[in-house]
């Protein structure tokens, strides 16, 4: 019998479907992948010249051989053709040998290789009756190694310094899976516990290779607090409570997330902080700052320029190593708007990123300078807002509530109003609890608006703050009163409280424009226009798409 005779079952799971590749199903993409040095860097076929004729002959040889089966891989959600997998059958010894290529770079790191291997193992063991399946991979091809290991394969031999890879010696790992192991192996373990262990290992390996010196916030919270108090300006999005809230928010939405926030060390002493989170959703792994685009390390001002450059270089090296290991082909980074350094030009972090080939996208953030008097600040508001604010203060009873005034019952009123306005439950109870905890810990306050006659809550805004900065976080306003200026009064009262607290700047939020990509919705543009009426400044926030393959040398 030929291997193709065993294709009496449909090879499909929730992520991929395998189909026989023949002359009629051959795609031009296959040839493009073989010719791309980044995609083929771990294939022995990279040393050959590839043409339409040589590829066609390869497919014919596989099709005519009784011992070879060449399969295409396509995604079950979109039907997109993303790679190939081949099984070679040594029928004399009952052994199969798997070869694999995920050619579509955008599909790397999302579990497609793992699921394709699982289907071929199912065919080999349950269909063909193999007793053992083997595979080989370069030691530096951590993505391939991981895909096989998550299917139960074990490394049974390592050929040390066996091949050349980009001018350097590399080892080859020989892996195997026996039928008896296949029967008892949990082939794909995406449990939070398994992912945490896996991520911790990759983090440790990347730190060692980059020589970046850090301690983790979860292990040394006093070091984090020391560095946090030593920075010149404290943005809300670097605050520990913000990171914890974001993690609760995304976990409640079905993500697996782990906080690996770091305290940067210089000469053994804390010199900065770096909020860094690994997450997984729908099989895709991401690196971020608590679910948002990854921010740079925030360093103390006393560091010299040479030390700053050295730390940033090692941090980027670490990030590159981590993304390669986790197969994250293009993470999203950002440089947040910083009112104190906006006129200083590009930072060292930005300059290094640009030298390494990132794609830059401009975003815009709205701020209020809290240094002038309240009267002077009001003069910067949109002209029509002044009468609307006065109307909102007259029509409704407004309060600013901190840890002393905010009760559990009032917080429940706010949550219920948010639910009523949204029309559905938008996030977990744990995320609401974390925000309430922020108020109790002196890191947030709530501004409420009530109907004067009934006392019913008709609007509220929640605001976070640090030593230096306030931030508009979430609000809810009665839909039946959208023509009333509830939000205008809430914003002024929040600004007044921030000035009382001695804050320097108030970040109202992002200003979206119609021409941006991806296109802003009409709602996003309208919200930005409303916020802009209070802003004294619009600062640039750079967002970067980072093709990690551009960072090859350090």
């Amino acid at each position: 019998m030929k291997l193709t005779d065993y294709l009496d079952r449909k090879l499909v799971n929730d992520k991929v479907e395998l189909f026989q590749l023949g002359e009629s199903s051959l795609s031009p993409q296959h040839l493009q992948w073989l010719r791309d040095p980044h995609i083929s860097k771990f294939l022995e076929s990279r040393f050959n010249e590839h043409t339409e004729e040589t590829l066609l002959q390869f497919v014919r040889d596989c099709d005519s051989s009784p011992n070879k089966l060449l399969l295409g891989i396509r995604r079950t959600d979109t039907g997109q053709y993303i790679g190939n997998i081949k099984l070679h059958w040594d029928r004399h010894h009952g052994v199969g040998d798997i070869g694999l290529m995920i050619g579509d770079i955008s599909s790397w790191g999302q579990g497609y290789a793992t699921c394709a291997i699982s289907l071929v193992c199912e065919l080999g063991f349950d269909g063909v009756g193999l007793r053992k399946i083997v595979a080989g991979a370069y030691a530096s091809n951590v993505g391939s190694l991981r895909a096989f290991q998550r299917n139960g394969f074990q490394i049974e031999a390592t050929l040390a310094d066996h091949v050349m890879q980009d001018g350097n010696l590399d080892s080859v790992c020989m892996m195997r899976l026996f039928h008896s192991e296949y029967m008892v192996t949990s082939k794909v373990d995406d449990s939070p516990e398994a992912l945490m262990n896996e991520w911790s290992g990759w983090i440790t390996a990347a730190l060692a290779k980059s020589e970046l010196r850090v301690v983790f916030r979860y292990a040394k919270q006093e070091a984090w607090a020391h560095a946090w108090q030593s920075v010149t300006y404290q943005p809300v999005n670097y605050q520990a409570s913000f990171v914890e809230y974001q993690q609760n928010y995304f976990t409640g939405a079905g993500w697996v997330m782990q906080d690996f926030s770091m305290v940067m060390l210089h000469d053994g002493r804390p010199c900065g902080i770096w909020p860094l989170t690994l997450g997984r959703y729908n099989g895709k792994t991401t690196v971020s700052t608590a679910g948002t685009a990854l921010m740079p390390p925030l360093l103390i001002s006393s560091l010299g320029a040479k030390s700053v450059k050295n730390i940033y270089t090692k941090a980027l090296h670490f990030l590159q190593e981590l993304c390669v290991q986790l197969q994250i082909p293009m993470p999203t980074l950002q440089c947040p708007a910083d009112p104190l350094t906006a006129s200083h030009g590009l930072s060292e972090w930005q300059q290094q990123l640009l030298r390494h080939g990132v794609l830059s996208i401009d975003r815009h953030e709205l701020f209020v300078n809290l240094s002038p008097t309240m009267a002077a600040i009001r003069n910067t508001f949109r002209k029509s807002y002044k009468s609307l604010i006065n109307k909102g203060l007259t029509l409704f009873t407004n309060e600013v509530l901190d840890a002393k005034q905010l009760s559990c019952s009032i917080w429940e009123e706010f949550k219920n109003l948010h639910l009523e306005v949204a029309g559905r439950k938008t996030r977990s109870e744990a995320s609401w609890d974390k925000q309430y905890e922020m108020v109790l810990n002196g890191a947030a306050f709530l501004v409420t608006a009530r109907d004067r006659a009934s006392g019913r809550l008709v609007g509220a805004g929640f605001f976070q703050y640090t030593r230096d900065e306030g931030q508009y976080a979430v609000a809810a306003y009665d839909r039946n009163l959208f023509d009333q200026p509830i939000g205008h009064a809430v914003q002024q009262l929040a600004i007044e409280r921030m000035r009382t607290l001695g804050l320097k700047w108030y970040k109202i939020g992002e200003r979206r424009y119609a021409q941006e990509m991806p296109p802003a919705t009409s709602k996003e543009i309208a919200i930005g226009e409303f916020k802009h009426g209070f802003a004294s400044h619009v600062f640039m926030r750079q967002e970067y798409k980072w093709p990690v393959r551009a960072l090859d040398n350090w």
Side-chain angles (χ1 to χ4, degrees):
M1 293 181 68
K2 296 176 59 177
L3 266 179
T4 52
D5 294 332
Y6 292 95
L7 291 177
D8 57 348
R9 65 184 70 199
K10 195 170 185 180
L11 299 176
V12 62
N13 54 33
D14 61 341
K15 291 187 72 72
V16 299
E17 180 181 6
L18 306 185
F19 61 96
Q20 186 177 1
L21 270 180
E23 290 186 47
S24 60
S25 57
L26 199 57
S27 168
Q29 290 173 287
H30 193 158
L31 184 60
Q32 294 169 10
W33 294 337
L34 292 173
R35 288 175 171 175
D36 188 321
H38 182 58
I39 296 172
S40 64
K41 66 184 295 184
F42 295 116
L43 302 178
E44 293 304 308
S45 62
R46 70 186 185 277
F47 301 113
N48 302 329
E49 181 181 353
H50 297 285
T51 65
E52 292 182 5
E53 290 73 21
T54 61
L55 178 58
L56 185 58
Q57 188 58 50
F58 169 74
V59 172
R60 286 171 176 167
D61 289 343
C62 289
D63 190 45
S64 61
S65 172
N67 303 319
K68 296 178 182 178
L69 180 61
L70 181 63
L71 301 169
I73 307 170
R74 58 178 164 232
R75 294 171 51 163
T76 54
D77 56 351
T78 64
Q80 180 187 0
Y81 171 47
I82 61 172
N84 308 311
I85 190 166
K86 180 165 71 81
L87 178 65
H88 180 268
W89 180 18
D90 183 339
R91 62 180 64 225
H92 301 294
H93 300 292
V95 176
D97 190 342
I98 292 179
L100 172 75
M101 175 180 69
I102 300 296
D104 178 58
I105 293 177
S106 67
S107 297
W108 288 4
Q110 299 185 45
Y112 296 113
T114 302
C115 290
I117 293 168
S118 175
L119 289 173
V120 170
C121 287
E122 180 183 327
L123 173 69
F125 287 126
D126 297 340
V128 182
L130 299 177
R131 64 177 187 85
K132 180 182 182 182
I133 296 178
V134 299
Y138 286 17
S140 60
N141 188 359
V142 292
S144 182
L145 288 173
R146 184 179 62 158
F148 281 100
Q149 288 172 331
R150 294 183 74 196
N151 277 283
F153 281 75
Q154 298 182 38
I155 297 175
E156 63 179 6
T158 300
L159 307 180
D161 294 342
H162 191 67
V163 294
M164 296 296 296
Q165 171 66 1
D166 292 335
N168 300 309
L169 289 170
D170 200 352
S171 300
V172 174
C173 298
M174 307 304 297
M175 296 172 286
R176 60 104 171 109
L177 179 65
F178 284 109
H179 181 263
S180 58
E181 295 168 329
Y182 163 78
M183 294 298 293
V184 299
T185 298
S186 176
K187 293 181 275 298
V188 179
D189 188 356
D190 257 341
S191 68
E193 295 77 12
L195 288 174
M196 301 313 172
N197 291 333
E198 180 182 323
W199 290 341
S200 295
W202 294 130
I203 289 270
T204 301
L207 287 172
K209 195 160 187 178
S210 65
E211 299 183 348
L212 182 65
R213 298 292 177 253
V214 305
V215 293
F216 293 105
R217 184 180 75 89
Y218 61 74
K220 294 286 185 179
Q221 294 194 25
E222 69 280 1
W224 177 280
H226 175 79
W228 175 242
Q229 293 302 324
S230 301
V231 299
T232 303
Y233 184 80
Q234 294 180 341
V236 167
N237 287 7
Y238 280 85
Q239 194 173 33
S241 58
F242 173 82
V243 173
E244 292 165 0
Y245 160 74
Q246 288 286 111
Q247 184 166 338
N248 277 307
Y249 179 90
F250 281 95
T251 300
W255 285 67
V256 177
M257 299 200 82
Q258 178 62 38
D259 178 27
F260 288 101
S261 293
M262 303 171 181
V263 180
M264 321 301 285
L265 300 178
H266 178 64
D267 292 336
R269 294 188 296 273
C271 67
I273 59 175
W274 195 8
L276 187 145
T277 310
L278 289 179
R280 191 169 181 84
Y281 186 72
N282 280 344
K284 183 177 181 180
T285 302
T286 61
V287 59
S288 67
T289 293
T292 65
L294 182 65
M295 299 188 299
L298 181 64
L299 304 179
I300 62 177
S301 60
S302 59
L303 283 176
K306 186 176 180 180
S307 297
V308 170
K309 182 176 182 179
N310 183 48
I311 291 171
Y312 281 161
T313 299
K314 290 180 178 179
L316 283 173
H317 187 186
F318 157 79
L319 196 53
Q320 183 237 3
E321 291 292 335
L322 185 64
C323 288
V324 168
Q325 290 163 357
L326 294 177
Q327 292 188 301
I328 304 173
M330 191 173 288
T332 302
L333 293 79
Q334 64 171 314
C335 276
D338 183 349
L340 298 190
T341 62
S343 62
H344 295 180
L346 295 180
S347 67
E348 174 64 30
W349 178 263
Q350 291 170 298
Q351 293 180 59
Q352 288 201 32
L353 280 174
L354 290 169
R355 282 196 295 270
H356 287 304
V358 299
L359 310 174
S360 178
I361 305 167
D362 292 338
R363 304 297 189 197
H364 307 87
E365 299 281 359
L366 300 168
F367 279 79
V368 177
N369 183 356
L370 299 173
S371 299
T373 64
M374 193 62 215
I377 292 174
R378 271 182 60 98
N379 284 335
T380 66
F381 292 169
R382 188 173 292 150
K383 187 175 180 180
S384 61
Y385 279 15
K386 297 173 186 178
S387 60
L388 291 172
I389 291 169
N390 294 335
K391 182 181 178 181
L393 293 173
T394 302
L395 289 176
F396 304 100
T397 302
N398 298 277
E399 288 184 287
V400 181
L401 307 175
D402 57 20
K404 294 180 180 179
Q405 296 90 24
L406 183 61
S407 65
C408 290
S409 60
I410 296 175
W411 187 250
E412 285 298 318
E413 283 186 278
F414 177 41
K415 286 168 54 179
N416 291 334
L417 177 62
H418 188 276
L419 177 62
E420 179 185 332
V421 172
R424 60 186 176 88
K425 187 175 181 178
T426 60
R427 51 191 173 94
S428 67
E429 287 297 316
S431 67
W432 283 103
D433 292 344
K434 180 57 64 175
Q435 287 186 321
Y436 184 51
E437 185 181 305
M438 289 182 198
V439 179
L440 299 183
N441 291 334
F445 59 85
L446 186 72
V447 182
T448 61
R450 294 182 179 276
D451 180 80
R452 285 192 178 275
S454 65
R456 182 175 62 89
L457 186 70
V458 296
F462 178 80
F463 302 84
Q464 299 164 232
Y465 65 90
T466 67
R467 181 192 64 204
D468 305 305
E469 182 181 274
Q471 181 169 295
Y472 186 29
V474 62
Y477 303 105
D478 190 328
R479 287 187 178 275
N480 296 320
L481 299 172
F482 266 18
D483 59 336
Q484 300 298 325
I486 308 174
H488 296 75
V490 167
Q491 287 293 330
Q492 173 163 304
L493 290 169
I495 291 170
E496 290 174 351
R497 174 53 62 95
M498 291 178 197
R499 290 194 71 257
T500 302
L501 291 168
L503 309 188
K504 299 181 179 71
W505 290 89
Y506 167 38
K507 185 168 81 170
I508 312 178
E510 187 174 18
R511 178 64 159 104
R512 297 298 308 275
Y513 294 95
Q515 70 273 23
E516 291 180 350
M517 296 300 293
T521 65
S522 57
K523 181 179 179 180
E524 289 172 332
I525 294 173
I527 292 173
E529 181 64 23
F530 165 74
K531 294 176 179 178
H532 204 158
F534 294 95
S536 61
H537 292 72
V538 182
F539 292 118
M540 193 81 76
R541 174 175 66 87
Q542 264 77 42
E543 194 171 281
Y544 302 106
K545 297 293 184 180
W546 179 37
V548 293
R549 59 177 170 173
L551 295 177
D552 290 328
N553 300 308
W554 296 93

